[in-house]
């Protein structure tokens, strides 16, 4: 656990390091190298576990030690490539710290930072796919889903290149969460119909990008639900 003075020092060093032009953090390689060494040690610790659940729990314990560095990088706003920062971003997604991950993602996307080679994906692709996959898994388990986080990822990646299948998956997740939110409202709630309309829009967009994304039955179900709730009283009585 870092002391307040140590956290302040890390923030200052990270802020200075982020000002380095290009990909080298040469103004203070010692501070950055220390972070890289710590990261390498933590990665070795993670490799001792085979269980994904255990890896996630360890990441949760390790992450606080990087907070000062992350804050300093964002404070410095220099935009230098930083593999420590980018790895921590992914770890925050892994442990479910979506607010923290999105704050880092906004900085990383703004400065066109790259993920370390080990991830094999661009940052926009990883953001879209990880947030979509997590949401779709939560929907299956009747867990909580954050539509605002999905929308934030969509905004961040709207003009970025990625596979159509990944963008379709993000639209699917947004559509299904929008539909679930609408379904949870009272039948006479004025926000119910717009919620379903938004859901259908997202799901149809998903089909545009990938006609095998698996939303056709969801679209049919929502259309039936919408017609049922919009039918005036007495319809079908005669």
């Amino acid at each position: 656990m870092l002391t307040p003075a140590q956290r302040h020092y890390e923030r200052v060093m990270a802020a200075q390091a982020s000002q380095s032009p290009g990909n080298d953090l040469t103004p203070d390689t010692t501070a950055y190298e220390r972070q890289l060494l710590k990261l390498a040690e933590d990665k070795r610790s993670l490799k001792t576990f085979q269980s994904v659940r255990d890896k996630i729990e360890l990441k949760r314990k390790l992450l606080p030690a990087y907070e000062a560095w992350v804050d300093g990088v964002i404070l410095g706003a220099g935009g230098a490539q930083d593999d420590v920062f980018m790895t921590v971003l992914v770890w925050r997604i892994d442990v479910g710290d979506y607010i923290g991950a999105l704050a880092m993602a906004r900085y990383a996307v703004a400065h066109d930072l790259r993920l370390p080679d080990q991830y094999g994906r661009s940052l926009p692709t990883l953001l879209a796919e990880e947030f979509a996959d997590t949401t779709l898994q939560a929907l299956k388990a009747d867990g909580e889903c954050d539509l605002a986080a999905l929308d934030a990822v969509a905004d961040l990646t709207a003009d970025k290149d990625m596979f159509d299948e990944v963008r379709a998956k993000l639209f699917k997740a947004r559509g299904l969460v929008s539909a679930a939110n609408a379904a949870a409202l009272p039948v006479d709630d004025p926000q119910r119909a717009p919620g379903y309309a938004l859901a259908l829009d997202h799901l149809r967009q998903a089909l545009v990008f990938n006609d095998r994304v698996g939303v056709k039955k969801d679209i049919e179900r929502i259309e039936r639900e919408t017609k049922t709730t919009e039918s005036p009283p007495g319809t079908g009585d005669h």
Side-chain angles (χ1 to χ4, degrees):
M1 182 70 68
L2 297 178
T3 67
Q6 288 172 327
R7 284 197 297 270
H8 174 72
Y9 176 78
E10 294 292 353
R11 280 195 294 269
V12 171
M13 291 300 98
Q16 291 178 0
S18 76
Q19 299 294 332
S20 177
N23 296 328
D24 294 326
L25 300 175
T26 52
D28 194 336
T29 54
T30 301
Y32 182 57
E33 286 176 351
R34 186 170 64 250
Q35 292 296 315
L36 285 174
L37 287 171
K38 172 174 172 47
L39 183 63
E41 181 180 347
D42 289 343
K43 284 182 177 179
R44 284 193 292 271
S45 297
L46 286 166
K47 287 182 179 179
T48 63
F49 293 99
Q50 294 185 24
S51 166
V52 173
R53 186 182 298 274
D54 288 342
K55 288 178 185 289
I56 290 174
E57 286 307 309
L58 180 55
K59 287 177 183 178
R60 202 185 307 278
K61 294 176 182 178
L62 295 172
L63 279 170
Y66 294 97
E67 287 180 359
W69 184 262
V70 168
D71 291 345
V73 169
I74 295 175
L75 177 66
Q81 179 62 32
D82 187 325
D83 285 356
V84 175
F85 184 91
M86 297 304 288
T87 301
V88 171
L89 192 166
V90 176
W91 286 7
R92 284 187 172 181
I93 295 174
D94 291 342
V95 304
D97 179 11
Y98 303 123
I99 293 177
L102 281 171
M104 297 178 70
R106 291 186 182 95
Y107 174 89
V109 171
H111 293 284
D112 198 25
L113 301 190
R114 303 181 309 278
L115 288 168
D117 292 341
Q118 71 192 72
Y119 292 106
R121 288 179 284 179
S122 68
L123 177 60
T125 297
L126 181 138
L127 289 172
E129 194 158 33
E130 292 297 325
F131 274 80
D133 282 344
T134 300
T135 299
L136 294 173
Q137 290 170 8
L139 284 169
K140 289 181 180 179
D142 293 325
E144 292 186 6
C145 300
D146 190 342
L147 182 58
L150 290 172
D151 289 344
V153 169
D155 289 341
L156 275 174
T157 61
D159 61 347
K160 306 300 180 183
D161 182 45
M162 70 177 68
F163 292 112
D164 289 343
E165 291 82 358
V166 175
R167 198 175 298 280
K169 193 186 296 186
L170 182 58
F171 271 117
K172 175 180 180 178
R174 296 171 73 197
L176 293 180
V177 174
S178 297
N181 290 347
L185 296 173
V187 175
D188 59 350
D189 191 301
Q191 295 303 314
R192 186 179 173 96
Y196 276 133
L198 180 62
L200 287 172
D201 181 60
H202 287 326
L203 295 176
R204 287 166 180 158
Q205 284 282 15
L207 277 179
V208 170
F209 285 98
N210 179 14
D211 62 4
R212 296 184 178 181
V213 70
V215 298
K216 293 178 181 178
K217 290 185 178 179
D218 294 299
I219 290 174
E220 293 172 358
R221 171 178 56 81
I222 295 170
E223 287 176 337
R224 286 196 303 270
E225 176 66 19
T226 303
K227 290 178 181 178
T228 299
T229 57
E230 289 180 351
S231 297
T235 299
D237 290 344
H238 302 288

